[in-house]
Amino acid sequence: MPDLNEIDAAAKRLRGRIVATPILPLTTDRLSDVLPEGAQVFMKMELFQQAGSFKSRGVLLGIDAMTDAQRAAGVIASSGGNHALAVAWAANAAGIDALIIMPEAADPQTVARVADLGATIERTSGSATNLAYLDEKTSQTGRTKLHPFEAPHMLLGAATCGYEIVCALPDLDAIIVPVGGGGLIAGVSRAVKLFSPACQVIGVEPVGAAGMTRSVEAGSPQTLDSVQTVAVSLAASRAEPLTFSAVQAHVDRMLTLPDSALIAAMRRFNTDLSLMVEPACAASFAALTGPLRAELAGKRVAIIACGSNIGRAGHARILDAS
């Protein structure tokens, strides 16, 4: 895992190539009925990042490390949304051919945006990122695999996000992080604990995709038999050794939420902050205003709005179905 010097160096390499996303104090009276009483809450706005999510940080670092031969052969990735867009965006900027495997449940506008960036798209059934098929297709094509979370460059990219948060807010009591495959929380927790070990790191997963929670309970990476969640970006079917080890070492606790809680948080973002976000982006807020509300009263807390790659029709469909 990277040390602070490596994280700082990575942040400098990314400077000017990614968005220095703001950290928004949630002081609006429109949210006072749901925020923890007396808490100071800050939201890292990674939904404004290049390609719409934190994923662009790690993908850029991964492409930077590729050889000329690897660039000529192209890249391959599997993702329901955020990682797909990040790979398509970064590959397009570098002049590299990209093949993206996307599940049928992926938001149609996101799929269209990936295609607009010049990537070739292959669809698979279901809602989960198909990592087994990604491995098979990588062997067949000879492309360089850009894994959505289980890679040192993805952990390092996510660590730069955590580093920005703790540099701006060194005296946090807690930070709440959405968890899919675990790349974001692996990197963020590493940076947070190196910089501010007393800060509590809390991970949030959908009940129907609680692979990391199950892995922590079991003490080893676990694979889910099925994944059922509206949060496509959090629909990872298995935990992996690198990200799991970081979570095991640095994350204080995991909690799970039903899809209904994520959807309710999406609605509050839309009505009270005029933000149209995907379910994954609302996960930290849902935890803060739900099961963690009483516990975090009077604390200084950061949450991460990790990405917002969802079309208007998809957003409305999720809210209307609830």
Side-chain angles (χ1 to χ4, degrees), residues 42 44 161-163 165-166 169 172-178 185 188-189 192-193 196 198-204 250-253 284 288 292 296 300-304:
F42 305 88
K44 178 64 165 168
C161 178
Y163 185 55
I165 294 170
V166 290
L169 303 166
L172 284 174
D173 295 303
I175 183 166
I176 309 171
V177 187
I185 197 168
V188 167
S189 64
V192 168
K193 291 299 187 178
S196 183
C199 178
Q200 185 179 188
V201 181
I202 304 169
V204 186
H250 301 305
V251 174
D252 295 279
R253 57 190 285 208
S284 291
L288 174 75
L292 297 175
L296 296 178
R300 284 173 59 84
V301 185
I303 63 176
I304 300 179

PDB file of all heavy atoms in Angstrom, residues 42 44 161-163 165-166 169 172-178 185 188-189 192-193 196 198-204 250-253 284 288 292 296 300-304:
ATOM      1  N   PHE A  42     -19.366  17.837   5.928  1.00  0.00           N
ATOM      2  CA  PHE A  42     -18.728  18.294   4.698  1.00  0.00           C
ATOM      3  C   PHE A  42     -18.856  17.204   3.638  1.00  0.00           C
ATOM      4  O   PHE A  42     -18.697  16.018   3.938  1.00  0.00           O
ATOM      5  CB  PHE A  42     -17.248  18.589   4.948  1.00  0.00           C
ATOM      6  CG  PHE A  42     -16.995  19.556   6.071  1.00  0.00           C
ATOM      7  CD1 PHE A  42     -16.873  19.104   7.382  1.00  0.00           C
ATOM      8  CD2 PHE A  42     -16.903  20.912   5.829  1.00  0.00           C
ATOM      9  CE1 PHE A  42     -16.650  19.972   8.423  1.00  0.00           C
ATOM     10  CE2 PHE A  42     -16.679  21.804   6.870  1.00  0.00           C
ATOM     11  CZ  PHE A  42     -16.553  21.339   8.170  1.00  0.00           C
ATOM     12  N   LYS A  44     -17.452  15.875  -0.055  1.00  0.00           N
ATOM     13  CA  LYS A  44     -16.467  15.922  -1.135  1.00  0.00           C
ATOM     14  C   LYS A  44     -17.185  15.657  -2.444  1.00  0.00           C
ATOM     15  O   LYS A  44     -17.742  14.573  -2.661  1.00  0.00           O
ATOM     16  CB  LYS A  44     -15.378  14.880  -0.885  1.00  0.00           C
ATOM     17  CG  LYS A  44     -14.304  14.777  -1.966  1.00  0.00           C
ATOM     18  CD  LYS A  44     -13.474  16.026  -2.104  1.00  0.00           C
ATOM     19  CE  LYS A  44     -12.206  15.767  -2.915  1.00  0.00           C
ATOM     20  NZ  LYS A  44     -11.514  17.009  -3.302  1.00  0.00           N
ATOM     21  N   CYS A 161      -7.857  11.191  -3.369  1.00  0.00           N
ATOM     22  CA  CYS A 161      -9.123  11.810  -2.952  1.00  0.00           C
ATOM     23  C   CYS A 161      -9.169  11.937  -1.439  1.00  0.00           C
ATOM     24  O   CYS A 161      -9.495  13.000  -0.892  1.00  0.00           O
ATOM     25  CB  CYS A 161     -10.294  10.973  -3.475  1.00  0.00           C
ATOM     26  SG  CYS A 161     -11.929  11.594  -2.986  1.00  0.00           S
ATOM     27  N   GLY A 162      -8.838  10.852  -0.734  1.00  0.00           N
ATOM     28  CA  GLY A 162      -8.797  10.911   0.721  1.00  0.00           C
ATOM     29  C   GLY A 162      -7.782  11.915   1.232  1.00  0.00           C
ATOM     30  O   GLY A 162      -8.017  12.616   2.227  1.00  0.00           O
ATOM     31  N   TYR A 163      -6.649  11.996   0.552  1.00  0.00           N
ATOM     32  CA  TYR A 163      -5.579  12.931   0.921  1.00  0.00           C
ATOM     33  C   TYR A 163      -6.069  14.374   0.829  1.00  0.00           C
ATOM     34  O   TYR A 163      -5.802  15.191   1.718  1.00  0.00           O
ATOM     35  CB  TYR A 163      -4.402  12.691  -0.018  1.00  0.00           C
ATOM     36  CG  TYR A 163      -3.141  13.471   0.268  1.00  0.00           C
ATOM     37  CD1 TYR A 163      -2.524  13.420   1.507  1.00  0.00           C
ATOM     38  CD2 TYR A 163      -2.534  14.229  -0.743  1.00  0.00           C
ATOM     39  CE1 TYR A 163      -1.345  14.109   1.748  1.00  0.00           C
ATOM     40  CE2 TYR A 163      -1.360  14.911  -0.513  1.00  0.00           C
ATOM     41  CZ  TYR A 163      -0.772  14.866   0.741  1.00  0.00           C
ATOM     42  OH  TYR A 163       0.399  15.543   0.967  1.00  0.00           O
ATOM     43  N   ILE A 165      -9.098  15.378   1.169  1.00  0.00           N
ATOM     44  CA  ILE A 165     -10.063  15.600   2.247  1.00  0.00           C
ATOM     45  C   ILE A 165      -9.358  15.873   3.570  1.00  0.00           C
ATOM     46  O   ILE A 165      -9.655  16.850   4.260  1.00  0.00           O
ATOM     47  CB  ILE A 165     -11.007  14.397   2.380  1.00  0.00           C
ATOM     48  CG1 ILE A 165     -11.879  14.256   1.132  1.00  0.00           C
ATOM     49  CG2 ILE A 165     -11.898  14.535   3.626  1.00  0.00           C
ATOM     50  CD1 ILE A 165     -12.667  12.958   1.066  1.00  0.00           C
ATOM     51  N   VAL A 166      -8.397  15.034   3.942  1.00  0.00           N
ATOM     52  CA  VAL A 166      -7.759  15.204   5.252  1.00  0.00           C
ATOM     53  C   VAL A 166      -6.818  16.401   5.280  1.00  0.00           C
ATOM     54  O   VAL A 166      -6.599  16.987   6.344  1.00  0.00           O
ATOM     55  CB  VAL A 166      -7.018  13.925   5.703  1.00  0.00           C
ATOM     56  CG1 VAL A 166      -8.013  12.828   6.033  1.00  0.00           C
ATOM     57  CG2 VAL A 166      -6.008  13.447   4.669  1.00  0.00           C
ATOM     58  N   LEU A 169      -9.368  19.070   5.881  1.00  0.00           N
ATOM     59  CA  LEU A 169     -10.110  18.871   7.132  1.00  0.00           C
ATOM     60  C   LEU A 169      -9.330  17.918   8.039  1.00  0.00           C
ATOM     61  O   LEU A 169      -9.702  16.770   8.230  1.00  0.00           O
ATOM     62  CB  LEU A 169     -11.494  18.287   6.828  1.00  0.00           C
ATOM     63  CG  LEU A 169     -12.391  19.078   5.872  1.00  0.00           C
ATOM     64  CD1 LEU A 169     -13.563  18.217   5.411  1.00  0.00           C
ATOM     65  CD2 LEU A 169     -12.885  20.352   6.529  1.00  0.00           C
ATOM     66  N   LEU A 172     -11.095  15.746  11.385  1.00  0.00           N
ATOM     67  CA  LEU A 172     -12.358  15.023  11.238  1.00  0.00           C
ATOM     68  C   LEU A 172     -12.509  13.948  12.314  1.00  0.00           C
ATOM     69  O   LEU A 172     -11.539  13.308  12.710  1.00  0.00           O
ATOM     70  CB  LEU A 172     -12.426  14.347   9.868  1.00  0.00           C
ATOM     71  CG  LEU A 172     -12.717  15.211   8.651  1.00  0.00           C
ATOM     72  CD1 LEU A 172     -12.601  14.361   7.392  1.00  0.00           C
ATOM     73  CD2 LEU A 172     -14.094  15.848   8.741  1.00  0.00           C
ATOM     74  N   ASP A 173     -13.754  13.735  12.722  1.00  0.00           N
ATOM     75  CA  ASP A 173     -14.064  12.618  13.611  1.00  0.00           C
ATOM     76  C   ASP A 173     -14.416  11.360  12.834  1.00  0.00           C
ATOM     77  O   ASP A 173     -14.170  10.240  13.305  1.00  0.00           O
ATOM     78  CB  ASP A 173     -15.240  12.981  14.532  1.00  0.00           C
ATOM     79  CG  ASP A 173     -14.909  14.100  15.486  1.00  0.00           C
ATOM     80  OD1 ASP A 173     -13.938  13.944  16.250  1.00  0.00           O
ATOM     81  OD2 ASP A 173     -15.597  15.142  15.455  1.00  0.00           O
ATOM     82  N   ALA A 174     -15.019  11.529  11.654  1.00  0.00           N
ATOM     83  CA  ALA A 174     -15.446  10.365  10.880  1.00  0.00           C
ATOM     84  C   ALA A 174     -15.556  10.731   9.409  1.00  0.00           C
ATOM     85  O   ALA A 174     -15.805  11.884   9.057  1.00  0.00           O
ATOM     86  CB  ALA A 174     -16.790   9.838  11.382  1.00  0.00           C
ATOM     87  N   ILE A 175     -15.372   9.718   8.552  1.00  0.00           N
ATOM     88  CA  ILE A 175     -15.607   9.854   7.122  1.00  0.00           C
ATOM     89  C   ILE A 175     -16.391   8.635   6.669  1.00  0.00           C
ATOM     90  O   ILE A 175     -16.099   7.511   7.088  1.00  0.00           O
ATOM     91  CB  ILE A 175     -14.292  10.015   6.339  1.00  0.00           C
ATOM     92  CG1 ILE A 175     -14.569  10.229   4.845  1.00  0.00           C
ATOM     93  CG2 ILE A 175     -13.342   8.855   6.551  1.00  0.00           C
ATOM     94  CD1 ILE A 175     -13.349  10.719   4.075  1.00  0.00           C
ATOM     95  N   ILE A 176     -17.425   8.861   5.850  1.00  0.00           N
ATOM     96  CA  ILE A 176     -18.318   7.801   5.402  1.00  0.00           C
ATOM     97  C   ILE A 176     -18.130   7.615   3.903  1.00  0.00           C
ATOM     98  O   ILE A 176     -18.212   8.586   3.138  1.00  0.00           O
ATOM     99  CB  ILE A 176     -19.787   8.128   5.722  1.00  0.00           C
ATOM    100  CG1 ILE A 176     -19.936   8.529   7.200  1.00  0.00           C
ATOM    101  CG2 ILE A 176     -20.685   6.942   5.405  1.00  0.00           C
ATOM    102  CD1 ILE A 176     -21.310   9.078   7.545  1.00  0.00           C
ATOM    103  N   VAL A 177     -17.890   6.367   3.486  1.00  0.00           N
ATOM    104  CA  VAL A 177     -17.476   6.088   2.112  1.00  0.00           C
ATOM    105  C   VAL A 177     -18.355   4.995   1.499  1.00  0.00           C
ATOM    106  O   VAL A 177     -18.517   3.928   2.108  1.00  0.00           O
ATOM    107  CB  VAL A 177     -16.005   5.626   2.073  1.00  0.00           C
ATOM    108  CG1 VAL A 177     -15.524   5.502   0.628  1.00  0.00           C
ATOM    109  CG2 VAL A 177     -15.104   6.583   2.859  1.00  0.00           C
ATOM    110  N   PRO A 178     -18.908   5.217   0.288  1.00  0.00           N
ATOM    111  CA  PRO A 178     -19.647   4.153  -0.398  1.00  0.00           C
ATOM    112  C   PRO A 178     -18.710   3.014  -0.790  1.00  0.00           C
ATOM    113  O   PRO A 178     -17.546   3.248  -1.125  1.00  0.00           O
ATOM    114  CB  PRO A 178     -20.210   4.839  -1.649  1.00  0.00           C
ATOM    115  CG  PRO A 178     -20.034   6.303  -1.428  1.00  0.00           C
ATOM    116  CD  PRO A 178     -18.881   6.461  -0.498  1.00  0.00           C
ATOM    117  N   ILE A 185     -12.885   3.032  -0.886  1.00  0.00           N
ATOM    118  CA  ILE A 185     -12.646   3.025   0.552  1.00  0.00           C
ATOM    119  C   ILE A 185     -11.250   2.494   0.878  1.00  0.00           C
ATOM    120  O   ILE A 185     -10.630   2.911   1.871  1.00  0.00           O
ATOM    121  CB  ILE A 185     -13.731   2.220   1.297  1.00  0.00           C
ATOM    122  CG1 ILE A 185     -13.705   2.586   2.793  1.00  0.00           C
ATOM    123  CG2 ILE A 185     -13.591   0.717   1.074  1.00  0.00           C
ATOM    124  CD1 ILE A 185     -14.890   2.085   3.573  1.00  0.00           C
ATOM    125  N   VAL A 188      -9.050   5.687   0.179  1.00  0.00           N
ATOM    126  CA  VAL A 188      -9.394   6.773   1.105  1.00  0.00           C
ATOM    127  C   VAL A 188      -8.981   6.411   2.523  1.00  0.00           C
ATOM    128  O   VAL A 188      -8.383   7.226   3.246  1.00  0.00           O
ATOM    129  CB  VAL A 188     -10.900   7.089   1.027  1.00  0.00           C
ATOM    130  CG1 VAL A 188     -11.330   7.986   2.194  1.00  0.00           C
ATOM    131  CG2 VAL A 188     -11.235   7.764  -0.298  1.00  0.00           C
ATOM    132  N   SER A 189      -9.293   5.191   2.958  1.00  0.00           N
ATOM    133  CA  SER A 189      -8.971   4.800   4.335  1.00  0.00           C
ATOM    134  C   SER A 189      -7.469   4.777   4.574  1.00  0.00           C
ATOM    135  O   SER A 189      -6.994   5.131   5.667  1.00  0.00           O
ATOM    136  CB  SER A 189      -9.583   3.439   4.668  1.00  0.00           C
ATOM    137  OG  SER A 189      -9.027   2.405   3.876  1.00  0.00           O
ATOM    138  N   VAL A 192      -6.433   8.440   4.962  1.00  0.00           N
ATOM    139  CA  VAL A 192      -6.986   9.001   6.199  1.00  0.00           C
ATOM    140  C   VAL A 192      -6.226   8.489   7.415  1.00  0.00           C
ATOM    141  O   VAL A 192      -5.828   9.262   8.298  1.00  0.00           O
ATOM    142  CB  VAL A 192      -8.484   8.670   6.322  1.00  0.00           C
ATOM    143  CG1 VAL A 192      -8.998   8.983   7.722  1.00  0.00           C
ATOM    144  CG2 VAL A 192      -9.287   9.454   5.291  1.00  0.00           C
ATOM    145  N   LYS A 193      -5.986   7.183   7.477  1.00  0.00           N
ATOM    146  CA  LYS A 193      -5.328   6.621   8.655  1.00  0.00           C
ATOM    147  C   LYS A 193      -3.852   7.003   8.739  1.00  0.00           C
ATOM    148  O   LYS A 193      -3.303   7.109   9.838  1.00  0.00           O
ATOM    149  CB  LYS A 193      -5.489   5.101   8.663  1.00  0.00           C
ATOM    150  CG  LYS A 193      -6.926   4.648   8.907  1.00  0.00           C
ATOM    151  CD  LYS A 193      -7.458   5.113  10.266  1.00  0.00           C
ATOM    152  CE  LYS A 193      -8.825   4.511  10.557  1.00  0.00           C
ATOM    153  NZ  LYS A 193      -9.353   4.912  11.882  1.00  0.00           N
ATOM    154  N   SER A 196      -4.467  10.955   9.672  1.00  0.00           N
ATOM    155  CA  SER A 196      -5.292  11.256  10.841  1.00  0.00           C
ATOM    156  C   SER A 196      -5.847   9.956  11.426  1.00  0.00           C
ATOM    157  O   SER A 196      -7.004   9.618  11.242  1.00  0.00           O
ATOM    158  CB  SER A 196      -6.442  12.192  10.427  1.00  0.00           C
ATOM    159  OG  SER A 196      -7.223  12.567  11.526  1.00  0.00           O
ATOM    160  N   ALA A 198      -6.936   8.905  14.169  1.00  0.00           N
ATOM    161  CA  ALA A 198      -8.089   8.902  15.077  1.00  0.00           C
ATOM    162  C   ALA A 198      -9.417   9.027  14.335  1.00  0.00           C
ATOM    163  O   ALA A 198     -10.480   8.760  14.913  1.00  0.00           O
ATOM    164  CB  ALA A 198      -7.964  10.040  16.088  1.00  0.00           C
ATOM    165  N   CYS A 199      -9.385   9.409  13.084  1.00  0.00           N
ATOM    166  CA  CYS A 199     -10.614   9.575  12.308  1.00  0.00           C
ATOM    167  C   CYS A 199     -11.221   8.203  12.021  1.00  0.00           C
ATOM    168  O   CYS A 199     -10.557   7.294  11.518  1.00  0.00           O
ATOM    169  CB  CYS A 199     -10.324  10.306  11.004  1.00  0.00           C
ATOM    170  SG  CYS A 199     -11.776  10.528   9.932  1.00  0.00           S
ATOM    171  N   GLN A 200     -12.494   8.047  12.305  1.00  0.00           N
ATOM    172  CA  GLN A 200     -13.195   6.787  12.065  1.00  0.00           C
ATOM    173  C   GLN A 200     -13.588   6.697  10.588  1.00  0.00           C
ATOM    174  O   GLN A 200     -14.158   7.638  10.023  1.00  0.00           O
ATOM    175  CB  GLN A 200     -14.446   6.712  12.953  1.00  0.00           C
ATOM    176  CG  GLN A 200     -15.170   5.393  12.868  1.00  0.00           C
ATOM    177  CD  GLN A 200     -16.390   5.319  13.771  1.00  0.00           C
ATOM    178  OE1 GLN A 200     -16.988   4.262  13.915  1.00  0.00           O
ATOM    179  NE2 GLN A 200     -16.765   6.422  14.365  1.00  0.00           N
ATOM    180  N   VAL A 201     -13.294   5.569   9.952  1.00  0.00           N
ATOM    181  CA  VAL A 201     -13.672   5.326   8.564  1.00  0.00           C
ATOM    182  C   VAL A 201     -14.790   4.303   8.534  1.00  0.00           C
ATOM    183  O   VAL A 201     -14.633   3.190   9.053  1.00  0.00           O
ATOM    184  CB  VAL A 201     -12.477   4.836   7.724  1.00  0.00           C
ATOM    185  CG1 VAL A 201     -12.906   4.606   6.270  1.00  0.00           C
ATOM    186  CG2 VAL A 201     -11.313   5.828   7.782  1.00  0.00           C
ATOM    187  N   ILE A 202     -15.918   4.685   7.924  1.00  0.00           N
ATOM    188  CA  ILE A 202     -17.111   3.834   7.898  1.00  0.00           C
ATOM    189  C   ILE A 202     -17.495   3.572   6.443  1.00  0.00           C
ATOM    190  O   ILE A 202     -17.651   4.502   5.652  1.00  0.00           O
ATOM    191  CB  ILE A 202     -18.285   4.500   8.631  1.00  0.00           C
ATOM    192  CG1 ILE A 202     -17.884   4.859  10.069  1.00  0.00           C
ATOM    193  CG2 ILE A 202     -19.520   3.605   8.618  1.00  0.00           C
ATOM    194  CD1 ILE A 202     -18.873   5.754  10.787  1.00  0.00           C
ATOM    195  N   GLY A 203     -17.660   2.302   6.089  1.00  0.00           N
ATOM    196  CA  GLY A 203     -18.060   1.923   4.745  1.00  0.00           C
ATOM    197  C   GLY A 203     -19.536   1.599   4.671  1.00  0.00           C
ATOM    198  O   GLY A 203     -20.121   1.087   5.633  1.00  0.00           O
ATOM    199  N   VAL A 204     -20.154   1.895   3.516  1.00  0.00           N
ATOM    200  CA  VAL A 204     -21.587   1.687   3.316  1.00  0.00           C
ATOM    201  C   VAL A 204     -21.825   0.867   2.053  1.00  0.00           C
ATOM    202  O   VAL A 204     -21.333   1.235   0.976  1.00  0.00           O
ATOM    203  CB  VAL A 204     -22.338   3.030   3.179  1.00  0.00           C
ATOM    204  CG1 VAL A 204     -23.843   2.782   3.117  1.00  0.00           C
ATOM    205  CG2 VAL A 204     -21.990   3.976   4.310  1.00  0.00           C
ATOM    206  N   HIS A 250      -7.696  -0.789   7.699  1.00  0.00           N
ATOM    207  CA  HIS A 250      -7.929   0.636   7.948  1.00  0.00           C
ATOM    208  C   HIS A 250      -9.376   1.055   8.167  1.00  0.00           C
ATOM    209  O   HIS A 250      -9.616   2.184   8.609  1.00  0.00           O
ATOM    210  CB  HIS A 250      -7.374   1.461   6.789  1.00  0.00           C
ATOM    211  CG  HIS A 250      -5.914   1.273   6.541  1.00  0.00           C
ATOM    212  ND1 HIS A 250      -4.966   1.458   7.513  1.00  0.00           N
ATOM    213  CD2 HIS A 250      -5.232   0.902   5.424  1.00  0.00           C
ATOM    214  CE1 HIS A 250      -3.764   1.226   7.016  1.00  0.00           C
ATOM    215  NE2 HIS A 250      -3.898   0.869   5.758  1.00  0.00           N
ATOM    216  N   VAL A 251     -10.335   0.201   7.855  1.00  0.00           N
ATOM    217  CA  VAL A 251     -11.745   0.592   7.987  1.00  0.00           C
ATOM    218  C   VAL A 251     -12.269   0.149   9.345  1.00  0.00           C
ATOM    219  O   VAL A 251     -12.114  -1.007   9.738  1.00  0.00           O
ATOM    220  CB  VAL A 251     -12.595  -0.015   6.842  1.00  0.00           C
ATOM    221  CG1 VAL A 251     -14.080   0.276   7.057  1.00  0.00           C
ATOM    222  CG2 VAL A 251     -12.128   0.560   5.498  1.00  0.00           C
ATOM    223  N   ASP A 252     -12.883   1.075  10.059  1.00  0.00           N
ATOM    224  CA  ASP A 252     -13.346   0.792  11.413  1.00  0.00           C
ATOM    225  C   ASP A 252     -14.600  -0.070  11.439  1.00  0.00           C
ATOM    226  O   ASP A 252     -14.765  -0.902  12.326  1.00  0.00           O
ATOM    227  CB  ASP A 252     -13.599   2.107  12.157  1.00  0.00           C
ATOM    228  CG  ASP A 252     -12.317   2.886  12.368  1.00  0.00           C
ATOM    229  OD1 ASP A 252     -11.579   2.567  13.313  1.00  0.00           O
ATOM    230  OD2 ASP A 252     -12.032   3.802  11.568  1.00  0.00           O
ATOM    231  N   ARG A 253     -15.485   0.135  10.475  1.00  0.00           N
ATOM    232  CA  ARG A 253     -16.716  -0.654  10.444  1.00  0.00           C
ATOM    233  C   ARG A 253     -17.399  -0.546   9.095  1.00  0.00           C
ATOM    234  O   ARG A 253     -17.187   0.418   8.354  1.00  0.00           O
ATOM    235  CB  ARG A 253     -17.682  -0.213  11.543  1.00  0.00           C
ATOM    236  CG  ARG A 253     -18.048   1.248  11.481  1.00  0.00           C
ATOM    237  CD  ARG A 253     -18.802   1.706  12.705  1.00  0.00           C
ATOM    238  NE  ARG A 253     -20.168   1.238  12.706  1.00  0.00           N
ATOM    239  CZ  ARG A 253     -21.164   1.887  13.327  1.00  0.00           C
ATOM    240  NH1 ARG A 253     -20.912   2.997  14.011  1.00  0.00           N
ATOM    241  NH2 ARG A 253     -22.383   1.428  13.285  1.00  0.00           N
ATOM    242  N   SER A 284     -23.446   7.563   1.144  1.00  0.00           N
ATOM    243  CA  SER A 284     -22.871   8.137   2.369  1.00  0.00           C
ATOM    244  C   SER A 284     -23.882   9.015   3.101  1.00  0.00           C
ATOM    245  O   SER A 284     -23.988   8.973   4.329  1.00  0.00           O
ATOM    246  CB  SER A 284     -21.624   8.960   2.024  1.00  0.00           C
ATOM    247  OG  SER A 284     -20.575   8.150   1.587  1.00  0.00           O
ATOM    248  N   LEU A 288     -25.415   8.634   6.869  1.00  0.00           N
ATOM    249  CA  LEU A 288     -25.280   9.754   7.808  1.00  0.00           C
ATOM    250  C   LEU A 288     -26.621  10.150   8.400  1.00  0.00           C
ATOM    251  O   LEU A 288     -26.735  10.413   9.611  1.00  0.00           O
ATOM    252  CB  LEU A 288     -24.663  10.954   7.084  1.00  0.00           C
ATOM    253  CG  LEU A 288     -24.585  12.267   7.865  1.00  0.00           C
ATOM    254  CD1 LEU A 288     -23.469  12.198   8.893  1.00  0.00           C
ATOM    255  CD2 LEU A 288     -24.373  13.444   6.921  1.00  0.00           C
ATOM    256  N   LEU A 292     -26.519   6.284  11.284  1.00  0.00           N
ATOM    257  CA  LEU A 292     -25.413   6.948  11.980  1.00  0.00           C
ATOM    258  C   LEU A 292     -25.799   8.314  12.561  1.00  0.00           C
ATOM    259  O   LEU A 292     -24.966   8.990  13.166  1.00  0.00           O
ATOM    260  CB  LEU A 292     -24.228   7.124  11.023  1.00  0.00           C
ATOM    261  CG  LEU A 292     -23.595   5.851  10.489  1.00  0.00           C
ATOM    262  CD1 LEU A 292     -22.520   6.180   9.461  1.00  0.00           C
ATOM    263  CD2 LEU A 292     -23.000   5.025  11.619  1.00  0.00           C
ATOM    264  N   LEU A 296     -23.347  10.300  15.354  1.00  0.00           N
ATOM    265  CA  LEU A 296     -22.454  11.355  14.868  1.00  0.00           C
ATOM    266  C   LEU A 296     -22.923  12.758  15.244  1.00  0.00           C
ATOM    267  O   LEU A 296     -22.375  13.743  14.733  1.00  0.00           O
ATOM    268  CB  LEU A 296     -22.294  11.235  13.352  1.00  0.00           C
ATOM    269  CG  LEU A 296     -21.606   9.938  12.885  1.00  0.00           C
ATOM    270  CD1 LEU A 296     -21.531   9.878  11.364  1.00  0.00           C
ATOM    271  CD2 LEU A 296     -20.206   9.811  13.488  1.00  0.00           C
ATOM    272  N   ARG A 300     -17.497  16.200  13.661  1.00  0.00           N
ATOM    273  CA  ARG A 300     -17.075  16.727  12.356  1.00  0.00           C
ATOM    274  C   ARG A 300     -16.968  15.529  11.404  1.00  0.00           C
ATOM    275  O   ARG A 300     -16.159  14.621  11.634  1.00  0.00           O
ATOM    276  CB  ARG A 300     -15.721  17.455  12.456  1.00  0.00           C
ATOM    277  CG  ARG A 300     -15.827  18.831  13.091  1.00  0.00           C
ATOM    278  CD  ARG A 300     -14.464  19.459  13.324  1.00  0.00           C
ATOM    279  NE  ARG A 300     -13.687  19.618  12.107  1.00  0.00           N
ATOM    280  CZ  ARG A 300     -13.793  20.643  11.254  1.00  0.00           C
ATOM    281  NH1 ARG A 300     -14.677  21.591  11.477  1.00  0.00           N
ATOM    282  NH2 ARG A 300     -13.025  20.726  10.190  1.00  0.00           N
ATOM    283  N   VAL A 301     -17.784  15.556  10.361  1.00  0.00           N
ATOM    284  CA  VAL A 301     -17.957  14.380   9.506  1.00  0.00           C
ATOM    285  C   VAL A 301     -17.811  14.770   8.041  1.00  0.00           C
ATOM    286  O   VAL A 301     -18.326  15.810   7.608  1.00  0.00           O
ATOM    287  CB  VAL A 301     -19.352  13.748   9.721  1.00  0.00           C
ATOM    288  CG1 VAL A 301     -19.486  12.458   8.909  1.00  0.00           C
ATOM    289  CG2 VAL A 301     -19.619  13.501  11.196  1.00  0.00           C
ATOM    290  N   ALA A 302     -17.128  13.914   7.272  1.00  0.00           N
ATOM    291  CA  ALA A 302     -17.064  14.078   5.822  1.00  0.00           C
ATOM    292  C   ALA A 302     -17.772  12.913   5.158  1.00  0.00           C
ATOM    293  O   ALA A 302     -17.688  11.768   5.623  1.00  0.00           O
ATOM    294  CB  ALA A 302     -15.620  14.148   5.341  1.00  0.00           C
ATOM    295  N   ILE A 303     -18.488  13.203   4.090  1.00  0.00           N
ATOM    296  CA  ILE A 303     -19.073  12.171   3.257  1.00  0.00           C
ATOM    297  C   ILE A 303     -18.581  12.391   1.832  1.00  0.00           C
ATOM    298  O   ILE A 303     -18.143  13.488   1.470  1.00  0.00           O
ATOM    299  CB  ILE A 303     -20.611  12.165   3.310  1.00  0.00           C
ATOM    300  CG1 ILE A 303     -21.193  13.476   2.769  1.00  0.00           C
ATOM    301  CG2 ILE A 303     -21.091  11.913   4.732  1.00  0.00           C
ATOM    302  CD1 ILE A 303     -22.718  13.499   2.702  1.00  0.00           C
ATOM    303  N   ILE A 304     -18.625  11.338   1.024  1.00  0.00           N
ATOM    304  CA  ILE A 304     -18.145  11.432  -0.347  1.00  0.00           C
ATOM    305  C   ILE A 304     -19.296  11.207  -1.309  1.00  0.00           C
ATOM    306  O   ILE A 304     -19.953  10.160  -1.275  1.00  0.00           O
ATOM    307  CB  ILE A 304     -17.026  10.410  -0.628  1.00  0.00           C
ATOM    308  CG1 ILE A 304     -15.845  10.655   0.317  1.00  0.00           C
ATOM    309  CG2 ILE A 304     -16.566  10.503  -2.080  1.00  0.00           C
ATOM    310  CD1 ILE A 304     -14.691   9.678   0.125  1.00  0.00           C
TER     311      ILE A 304
END
